[in-house]
């Protein structure tokens, strides 16, 4: 499956992009083809599902990892990869102020709603109580639970569910 690298996204231009979207819920359909985030693209390259080209030159896994790191996305990629490997459907959570929306195994985007918002933080990040409160408030306001994915320096991830409760 051939794809091309654009500005902060990858476009799958052949018919196999439709299959990736319909079967495994990757990316977003557009008139140009299937638009993948850089994170999704790296995940699919590692699995041998796509090849990415820039100016007729094939981009290696190592080069794609470098692109992800240069964009400051590697910690988010670690969480994305872990959740996909566990069988979850992972979509962007940008409009909710989080990194990802998470669908339960077996749920399908478009046929139902995601159950969780995932906020990704490094173990070295400072989180203010007011920020944490706003993350929880947004999640609660859209009937989702908040999962904090804390990534340590070795790339290990610890997940915490944070919920709003009434005393």
């Amino acid at each position: 499956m051939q794809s091309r690298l654009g500005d902060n996204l990858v476009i799958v231009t052949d018919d196999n992009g439709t299959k990736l979207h319909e079967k495994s819920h990757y990316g977003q359909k557009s008139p140009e083809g299937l638009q993948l985030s850089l994170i999704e693209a790296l995940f699919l390259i590692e699995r041998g599902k796509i090849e990415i080209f820039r100016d007729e030159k094939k981009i290696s896994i190592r080069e794609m990892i470098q692109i992800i790191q240069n964009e400051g996305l590697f910690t988010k990629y670690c969480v994305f990869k872990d959740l996909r490997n566990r069988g979850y459907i992972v979509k962007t959570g940008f409009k909710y102020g989080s990194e990802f929306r998470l669908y339960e195994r077996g749920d399908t985007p478009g046929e139902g709603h995601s159950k969780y918002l995932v906020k990704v933080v490094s173990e070295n990040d400072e989180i203010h109580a007011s920020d944490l409160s706003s993350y929880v408030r947004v999640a609660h306001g859209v009937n989702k639970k908040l999962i904090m994915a804390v990534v340590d320096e070795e790339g290990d991830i610890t997940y915490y569910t944070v919920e709003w409760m009434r005393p």
Side-chain angles (χ1 to χ4, degrees), residues 60-78:
S60 69
I61 292 174
R62 179 171 286 173
E63 289 172 301
M64 197 65 193
I65 289 171
Q66 188 62 51
I67 291 168
I68 292 279
Q69 288 173 329
N70 291 345
E71 293 292 324
L73 298 173
F74 194 74
T75 302
K76 294 172 187 164
Y77 174 71
C78 291

Side-chain angles (χ1 to χ4, degrees), residues 13-30:
T13 55
D14 61 16
D15 292 336
N16 290 325
T18 301
K19 293 176 189 172
L20 271 177
H21 180 71
E22 290 175 358
K23 183 178 178 199
S24 302
H25 310 291
Y26 288 104
Q28 195 79 353
K29 289 194 267 185
S30 79

